[in-house]
Amino acid sequence: GESVGLHLPTLSVQEGDNSIINCAYSNSASDYFIWYKQESGKGPQFIIDIRSNMDKRQGQRVTVLLNKTVKHLSLQIAATQPGDSAVYFCAEKGGSGYSTLTFGKGTMLLVSP
Amino acid sequence: NAGVTQTPKFQVLKTGQSMTLQCAQDMNHEYMSWYRQDPGMGLRLIHYSVGAGITDQGEVPNGYNVSRSTTEDFPLRLLSAAPSQTSVYFCASSSPRSEAFFGQGTRLTVV
């Protein structure tokens, strides 16, 4: 079936570096994507979303880029901090009325001081 | 503002036992869903509901039942627990115009 997947299972960076987490999706009809952060022992937390009518969206220290041509999106975290260490998931919002999420497998981000 | 509350946080069951995982939200969201998360995998959708009285199956519904009698509550029932149902279970709520909010999870072990 359709799926949302990630390229790298683990990303290790130094504090202060910029981090880039990638995600590929297979359903060309997908039009609503969300990035979630999951810390150990907790539920996923919303970071940022993007719809297919946009190529880029910026939040606080985070930027999501969407390339519909190659069905790829990325999450960029500027000036990565130890508190950013977590697993990051991309997810596609779908279903009737955008009622469900299809998640990728996740990338673990490890930030060293 | 409690958000999404799941109980219990931890549970150990014997094979064949039944139990109900509770989920409640106080944001008046129309949509609620249950996901399971296994090691090395993303969350997979079990069942979901778009409103009171309406439920539907997700990707991995076998062995689970749900009902939605009120907007606030969406319990997940395991009919006859199996070791393959050992997992972390997350409940989420959302509306068409909002992000999904997740509970803290229930860690279930079936022995």
Side-chain angles (χ1 to χ4, degrees):
Chain A
E2 302 291 357
S3 65
V4 180
L6 293 175
H7 294 304
L8 298 174
T10 304
L11 178 64
S12 297
V13 301
Q14 296 287 321
E15 182 177 2
D17 287 351
N18 296 332
S19 303
I20 299 176
I21 300 171
N22 296 303
C23 178
Y25 62 95
S26 56
N27 184 357
S28 55
S30 300
D31 63 356
Y32 191 173
F33 301 92
I34 305 174
W35 282 98
Y36 283 92
K37 173 185 181 183
Q38 187 178 27
E39 296 174 288
S40 181
K42 296 185 178 180
Q45 257 188 307
F46 173 88
I47 302 172
I48 192 168
D49 61 2
I50 188 167
R51 301 223 183 202
S52 60
N53 61 351
M54 303 174 73
D55 297 324
K56 179 179 178 179
R57 192 160 188 221
Q58 289 183 290
Q60 192 171 19
R61 284 201 305 119
V62 295
T63 300
V64 56
L65 299 178
L66 175 61
N67 186 330
K68 296 179 285 294
T69 303
V70 296
K71 291 183 284 188
H72 179 273
L73 64 159
S74 65
L75 177 70
Q76 301 178 359
I77 304 174
T80 314
Q81 302 167 359
D84 294 327
S85 293
V87 177
Y88 290 80
F89 293 97
C90 63
E92 172 203 349
K93 210 173 187 191
S96 172
Y98 296 116
S99 55
T100 63
L101 291 165
T102 300
F103 282 84
K105 289 187 171 54
T107 291
M108 176 168 286
L109 176 64
L110 299 174
V111 183
S112 305
Chain B
N1 192 354
V4 179
T5 303
Q6 288 184 238
T7 56
K9 287 188 170 52
F10 301 94
Q11 182 71 50
V12 178
L13 288 178
K14 294 182 179 178
T15 297
Q17 286 185 316
S18 62
M19 81 158 293
T20 299
L21 279 62
Q22 301 292 344
C23 176
Q25 55 99 0
D26 61 2
M27 296 171 282
N28 202 32
H29 284 160
E30 301 99 302
Y31 304 155
M32 295 186 75
S33 339
W34 278 101
Y35 296 84
R36 60 177 287 173
Q37 184 174 29
D38 300 303
M41 300 185 72
L43 283 72
R44 292 184 292 168
L45 182 65
I46 305 172
H47 285 285
Y48 67 101
S49 167
V50 297
I54 306 170
T55 64
D56 208 344
Q57 296 182 347
E59 180 186 353
V60 288
N62 292 342
Y64 308 95
N65 272 359
V66 291
S67 59
R68 184 100 179 268
S69 55
T70 67
T71 299
E72 294 78 20
D73 300 296
F74 192 44
L76 178 71
R77 283 183 288 278
L78 279 70
L79 309 172
S80 177
S84 61
Q85 293 179 304
T86 294
S87 190
V88 182
Y89 291 85
F90 289 99
C91 178
S93 76
S94 67
S95 70
R97 293 156 299 283
S98 83
E99 70 209 60
F101 293 83
F102 286 82
Q104 292 294 294
T106 295
R107 186 173 295 274
L108 176 68
T109 302
V110 183
V111 298

